[in-house]
Amino acid sequence: MKAVTAIDQLAESYDLVVVGAGPAGLSAAARAAELGVGVLLVDENPAPGGQIYRAVTTTPVSDRDVLGADYWRGAEIVARFERSQASYAGSCTLWSIGPDAAVPEGGGFEIGLSLDGRARLIGARQLILATGAQERPFPIPGWTLPGVMTAGAAQIALKSAAIVPAGRTVIAGCGPLLYLLAGQLAAAGAEIVAVLDTTPRSNWLKAAAALPDFLRSPYLAKGLKLMAKARRSLRFVGGVTGLAAEGADKLATVQVERGGSVETIACDTLLLHQGVIPSVNLSNAAGCTHDFDTVQHCWVPRLDDWLSSSEPGIAIAGDGAGIGGAESAALRGEVAALGAAHRLGRLDASERDRAAAPLRAELARALRGRRFLDLLYKPAPQFLAPRRDETIICRCEEVTAGQVRDTAVRLGVTGPNQMKAFLRCGMGPCQGRLCGPTVVELIAEANGTTPAEVGYYRLRPPVKPITLAELAALPQSEAAVKAVVR
Amino acid sequence: MFRSMRDAKAGARLSFTFDGRPLTGREGDTVTASLLANGVTACRETPVSGVPRAPYCLMGVCFDCLIVIDGIGNRQGCLVPLREGMRIETQHGRRQPEEMRG
């Protein structure tokens, strides 16, 4: 691995640029580099690993049991990447993907990167986006109060800084991560006063059809162990139908509804989680087509067998291609790398197919049982489209569920881009990452239609903020100057 | 609020200030992690209603950890590694024209 620590150390162009240093990006970059492809891996975090293997090479957590064996497996993925000839730019943000004006369409890209306050435009013949997942927004009244965080945030704090919530901590929501985090935080010494499960009881019936596959899946043993451990040692409350965080300037209590009964729990930290969804901001801004996946209940990019998107030259691997977990992410990264190497002329079709066959078999095994989890942990409707009007759904612009519902009905707004024009939801710094899914859900509900029909925000670069100074300091091509000079 | 777990590997300590208050953090931590470890609950006041806000996702997605670092606002504290001598300040609402001129 060749470390790039300053923006001027980057080459003018690379055969392949991989975005994101989680299991998918690391595996894609390593595999492609092993095949002789000139690779640059860029990642906005200071160290490789992504979120699942966050800080695996640098974590200050010394007791290996706290994070578990699955976490430490990430060290091998990082080590393989480090042995490769790929270049690696950490703390480097990719903010735009555009066509390379110098080559025919589909022949390459011009990408905008920023590192340590300086920006550059460089070339990439092929791209693999491995930007992973984000937690699904969990809009409840009071979720903007200091003291309320995502469960993933607490896990990141634990992995990267060995810090745990101080004081009374409540974990709420649904999905496998909830149990994993509860176990990890408890092992790290946090005081978890309750785990509130919002999994709708009716989901068990819907998921039952997918049970046979799950029973043969690698998830089963792991999942049962996690659940048993969490349930044995922690207060576990099932059947939660409503949540609200309350407090003046910071969280003081969480109000828990279960059917008709209401309980108030005093706490210092509330950790929310209802599953993860692909991060689509970059692929959306790059023009890739996305479809609404009704089982995973989220937007996923439309991909072929080589994980190539609708935009020639852009492939998408890892959880950004649809949620599959860490093991499948690494495998998808390798498949995408083989596809890119073939398009770059490094592998002929038969070599590519031969190399992919064992990966595909592994992938099928790794994904077996996923459908059961997707069906079981699909969030309840009231946590996707909040019932209480005062619930903030756009955290940046402080737009409420009531405003979105009212605007959808009264003004006949049918899509999120129109809603943005009326209410500014999605126009703050997060660029819709935390409100997009909820806005779509609320519009669909108000108009009696589906998220698939409502569509999603049309996103545009820059997908991450850069300063005007960085933009202004970019070298201008002759064509760019001519475009604005009269 | 957060605290260090037992048996965490000690790292080199870095000095920084938060709203003028001298604090220390572990080398290798991000700005946001260092503030959380020091018991700081809010890092900014929102531009719309002015209420206090704290980091939410710690993975670069939510932009709730926006903060002023060495005089430059709107930095994502969860992505910026802490450096010796950093001057970190609460971000108050939206920027005012007089701040721009300075």
Side-chain angles (χ1 to χ4, degrees), chain A residues 69-197:
Chain A
D70 279 347
Y71 172 74
W72 294 104
R73 216 157 280 155
E76 176 42 40
I77 294 178
V78 175
R80 176 189 173 192
F81 170 73
E82 285 176 340
R83 285 192 300 270
S84 80
Q85 290 300 307
S87 294
Y88 166 71
S91 294
C92 181
T93 302
L94 181 142
W95 46 266
S96 85
I97 294 174
D100 185 343
V103 297
E105 190 151 359
F109 304 91
E110 182 185 69
I111 58 170
L113 298 174
S114 175
L115 201 171
D116 203 16
R118 287 168 64 210
R120 252 186 86 184
L121 296 168
I122 64 164
R125 291 176 64 196
Q126 294 281 321
L127 286 169
I128 295 177
L129 312 185
T131 51
Q134 65 166 72
E135 286 178 275
R136 186 192 298 278
F138 199 156
I140 59 166
W143 71 315
T144 49
L145 284 170
V148 184
M149 296 180 109
T150 70
Q155 206 184 31
I156 288 165
L158 174 63
K159 289 172 182 171
S160 60
I163 54 175
V164 292
R168 294 167 59 86
T169 301
V170 172
I171 304 178
C174 62
L177 178 67
L178 210 65
Y179 299 98
L180 175 62
L181 178 78
Q184 288 176 335
L185 285 183
E191 184 196 349
I192 297 164
V193 292
V195 179
L196 312 173
D197 194 326

Side-chain angles (χ1 to χ4, degrees), chain B residues 19-53:
Chain B
D19 289 341
R21 195 153 52 100
L23 299 172
T24 66
R26 194 188 67 93
E27 183 170 32
D29 282 357
T30 62
V31 165
T32 296
S34 313
L35 291 175
L36 290 173
N38 274 287
V40 173
T41 47
C43 59
R44 68 185 184 109
E45 289 151 9
T46 64
V48 179
S49 68
V51 296
R53 210 42 100 64

Side-chain angles (χ1 to χ4, degrees), chain A residues 293-332:
Chain A
D293 181 328
T294 51
V295 176
Q296 297 201 331
H297 204 81
C298 56
W299 294 94
V300 294
R302 189 180 298 170
L303 304 173
D304 70 10
D305 283 352
W306 297 99
L307 302 165
S308 291
S309 73
S310 61
E311 286 295 299
I314 302 181
I316 301 171
D319 272 0
I323 304 306
E327 213 181 324
S328 76
L331 294 163
R332 283 169 171 172

Side-chain angles (χ1 to χ4, degrees), chain A residues 44-46 51 54 59-62 66 133-134 143-144 146 148-150 153 156-158 160-166 188-190 249 269 272 395-398 429-430 433-434 464-465, chain B residues 1-9 26 28-30 33 36-37 41-42 44 46-64 66 72 74 76 78-79 81:
Chain A
E44 66 181 352
N45 293 291
Q51 303 310 336
R54 179 88 177 199
T59 181
V61 175
S62 54
V66 168
Q134 65 166 72
W143 71 315
T144 49
V148 184
M149 296 180 109
T150 70
I156 288 165
L158 174 63
S160 60
I163 54 175
V164 292
D249 275 353
T269 304
L272 296 173
R395 298 172 61 97
C396 298
E397 295 291 334
E398 298 177 57
C430 96
R433 289 169 172 90
L434 268 285
K464 283 276 175 163
Chain B
M1 203 196 289
F2 280 69
R3 62 174 174 76
S4 287
M5 63 180 282
R6 287 183 313 274
D7 323 321
K9 283 181 204 156
R26 194 188 67 93
D29 282 357
T30 62
L36 290 173
T41 47
R44 68 185 184 109
T46 64
V48 179
S49 68
V51 296
R53 210 42 100 64
Y56 182 70
C57 81
L58 294 199
M59 53 186 277
V61 172
C62 75
F63 291 74
D64 265 323
L66 294 180
I72 299 173
N74 282 329
Q76 285 182 277
C78 78
L79 294 176

